[in-house]
Amino acid sequence: MRTALAGLLALTVPLAAQDDLSYFRADVGLAGGRFHYRTDNDSRVDRADAALFRVQVEGTGSRGFGGGARFEGLFTDDYLVDAQNQRGSTDNGTLFLHMTYRFEEHRFAMPFRAGLLVNRLGLGDNGDGYDTTYLSVGPKLELAPELVLLRRRSAQWTLYGELGFGVGGTWIDFSDTNTTFHSSTGFAGIEVGTRVRLRAFELGLAYVGRWQSMAESDDRGGLFAQGYGTSFNGLLLTMGIVF
């Protein structure tokens, strides 16, 4: 009888702990930083101040399974082409639709996210008379550990990080040609910061880095799109609700 009770207790304790995994987060963020664009052969090297806007929502149930969505939009007023001293606009939007499994124990939590990444990079007219659009679609994985440093009743202070990687097929369109080129692009992202929560309201401050790199495209009648790399590094302020 004691063995049976011990076995029942061993089963119910993990289930009770899993009930605490119900979780919901919705927040918005704004970052200021520096955007960098470079072609593989260094024929074009652009740098500019940039702003990143983010909105995200995520929820998990009592067993830690759930999902969410994140949208990030990066914009520059203009970017500088070093060789020609010409200016144009840049926009880079990313949508991440994902499933989530959230592991949590005591003061430590580790959400694992896997889903679909959709990215659009647009380079505007910088004096050469045409625009370029890169559209990428593919899978992405992300880990987001969080550690509670201090907890007092309805308030807590945490240290957190996010590390993500993705890859996608890429379609490239130039406004001066009817040809669509194809390539592949790799993505990486990192975020390291701290959050302070009072009841359901949360405020955060973090370093955020975003990188993407495209390989040279296929050859279409002697024409092709050069490979490139971009980066954004900035300081991110977030606010939202968590319960």
Side-chain angles (χ1 to χ4, degrees):
M1 183 65 177
R2 291 181 179 177
T3 302
L5 289 174
L8 180 60
L9 182 61
L11 289 174
T12 56
V13 169
L15 291 177
Q18 286 181 341
D19 288 341
D20 295 334
L21 295 182
S22 295
Y23 177 86
F24 177 82
R25 171 190 296 276
D27 65 43
V28 296
L30 183 64
R34 193 71 172 167
F35 176 81
H36 183 203
Y37 174 91
R38 178 188 295 269
T39 56
D40 286 350
N41 64 358
D42 290 340
S43 63
R44 196 157 144 198
V45 181
D46 310 336
R47 299 177 179 87
D49 293 331
L52 182 145
F53 170 76
R54 183 175 79 188
V55 57
Q56 63 181 0
V57 60
E58 181 178 52
T60 57
S62 61
R63 295 184 180 274
F65 293 97
R70 177 192 304 147
F71 173 77
E72 293 182 348
L74 186 152
F75 307 93
T76 65
D77 288 337
D78 50 50
Y79 62 86
L80 180 64
V81 180
D82 291 346
Q84 300 174 348
N85 197 34
Q86 296 171 337
R87 296 181 180 273
S89 61
T90 303
D91 61 89
N92 192 355
T94 304
L95 177 65
F96 181 35
L97 303 172
H98 59 85
M99 299 179 293
T100 304
Y101 174 69
R102 179 181 173 85
F103 169 81
E104 185 173 352
E105 185 173 355
H106 303 300
R107 292 176 176 266
F108 179 76
M110 173 71 86
F112 173 73
R113 303 176 182 122
L116 180 69
L117 173 74
V118 181
N119 175 271
R120 179 192 179 278
L121 172 64
L123 303 181
D125 179 3
N126 23 235
D128 47 19
Y130 64 85
D131 302 334
T132 307
T133 302
Y134 305 86
L135 179 64
S136 303
V137 180
K140 180 182 178 181
L141 302 176
E142 186 174 89
L143 290 174
E146 185 170 20
L147 178 66
V148 177
L149 301 176
L150 182 65
R151 180 179 288 155
R152 292 290 185 272
R153 295 185 180 180
S154 59
Q156 74 173 27
W157 174 33
T158 65
L159 181 67
Y160 79 97
E162 289 182 352
L163 180 64
F165 298 96
V167 63
T170 303
W171 292 263
I172 308 108
D173 287 319
F174 297 99
S175 61
D176 66 339
T177 177
N178 293 324
T179 303
T180 298
F181 301 90
H182 300 91
S183 185
S184 60
T185 303
F187 300 86
I190 188 171
E191 188 174 326
V192 179
T194 185
R195 295 173 176 140
V196 175
R197 186 186 309 172
L198 180 61
R199 298 187 185 277
F201 177 76
E202 186 175 74
L203 190 66
L205 183 66
Y207 158 76
V208 60
R210 298 288 185 262
W211 297 269
Q212 62 190 69
S213 178
M214 188 192 81
E216 183 179 290
S217 77
D218 55 347
D219 190 298
R220 296 294 183 91
L223 300 176
F224 62 92
Q226 287 186 354
Y228 73 85
T230 71
S231 66
F232 172 79
N233 294 274
L235 191 63
L236 175 69
L237 177 67
T238 60
M239 62 180 64
I241 56 171
V242 181
F243 56 85

